[in-house]
Amino acid sequence: NAGVTQTPKFQVLKTGQSMTLQCAQDMNHEYMSWYRQDPGMGLRLIHYSVGAGITDQGEVPNGYNVSRSTTEDFPLRLLSAAPSQTSVYFCASRSGAEQYFGPGTRLTVT
Amino acid sequence: KQEVTQIPAALSVPEGENLVLNCSFTDSAIYNLQWFRQDPGKGLTSLLLIQSSQREQTSGRLNASLDKSSGRSTLYIAASQPGDSATYLCAVSSMNNNAGNMLTFGGGTRLMVKP
């Protein structure tokens, strides 16, 4: 099992550009989520999904879109990047109560 | 709103010491509490998961306790080693936050174990 994978590892965007952060898991977990990690703020939930076709907002959803067309994939879209979205993004999936995190994507918006 | 605090923010100890990391949370209506380890530039690795009905969990040299009524958890690391150097994060799944579908994280304790 590869577990939770994320691409790209690093990305630099200019303000206003759009991009999609990819997340995939091969553990057949129904629940997947996206967090951002900022210095001094800890990790905060952006969006989550409890199964294919079902998504919901977390604590900091503004500026981000998600969709869940398959159990395996949960992409995070930034429609118009802003400097405030500079952060490290983590995707996670869950089996029961235990969460499994991907290696993260470090995003810089200039 | 659930808030999670970890003390201390940073800790430096000599190899071989036993140490305790602290985590406190404000809302005791939780499903579970999880301790993670994060190495620099890496993702999070789950160490221990304690369900709300449990008092402690053990894995090797690690022991985590939970006192839900007082809103506290501790992570005990026995006989610390340089390889234990990392940031340790505490996170709770709360009944009142997205029906438990959101983890609320503390700010972490950055641990350095010196040889």
Side-chain angles (χ1 to χ4, degrees), chain A residues 31 35 37 57 98-99, chain B residues 34 38 46 98 101-103:
Chain A
Y31 176 92
Y35 287 83
Q37 185 175 33
Q57 296 181 350
E98 190 163 357
Q99 301 253 4
Chain B
Q34 201 163 354
Q38 185 175 29
S46 177
N98 295 82
N101 284 311
M102 179 174 99
L103 287 178

Side-chain angles (χ1 to χ4, degrees), chain B residues 12-46:
Chain B
S12 181
V13 300
E15 181 177 4
E17 269 202 11
N18 302 325
L19 57 100
V20 174
L21 307 182
N22 296 293
C23 171
S24 62
F25 47 95
T26 55
D27 183 354
S28 61
I30 66 170
Y31 288 110
N32 56 69
L33 182 145
Q34 201 163 354
W35 283 93
F36 293 91
R37 170 187 172 135
Q38 185 175 29
D39 293 288
K42 304 289 186 184
L44 281 69
T45 301
S46 177

Side-chain angles (χ1 to χ4, degrees), chain B residues 54-80:
Chain B
Q54 297 175 320
R55 296 284 295 184
E56 65 177 346
Q57 283 285 342
T58 298
S59 176
R61 294 183 293 108
L62 304 180
N63 176 276
S65 68
L66 174 64
D67 185 341
K68 197 174 66 166
S69 60
S70 68
R72 295 180 188 277
S73 176
T74 61
L75 178 66
Y76 176 82
I77 302 177
S80 59

Side-chain angles (χ1 to χ4, degrees), chain A residues 79-103:
Chain A
L79 298 179
S80 179
S84 61
Q85 294 178 305
T86 293
S87 187
V88 182
Y89 291 85
F90 289 101
C91 178
S93 70
R94 190 178 79 194
S95 170
E98 190 163 357
Q99 301 253 4
Y100 299 85
F101 282 80

Side-chain angles (χ1 to χ4, degrees), chain A residues 8 10 15 24-25 46 48 56 63 69 71 77 91 97 100-102 108-109:
Chain A
F10 301 95
T15 297
Q25 53 93 8
I46 305 171
Y48 67 95
D56 204 348
S69 56
T71 299
R77 296 184 186 84
C91 178
Y100 299 85
F101 282 80
T108 302
V109 183

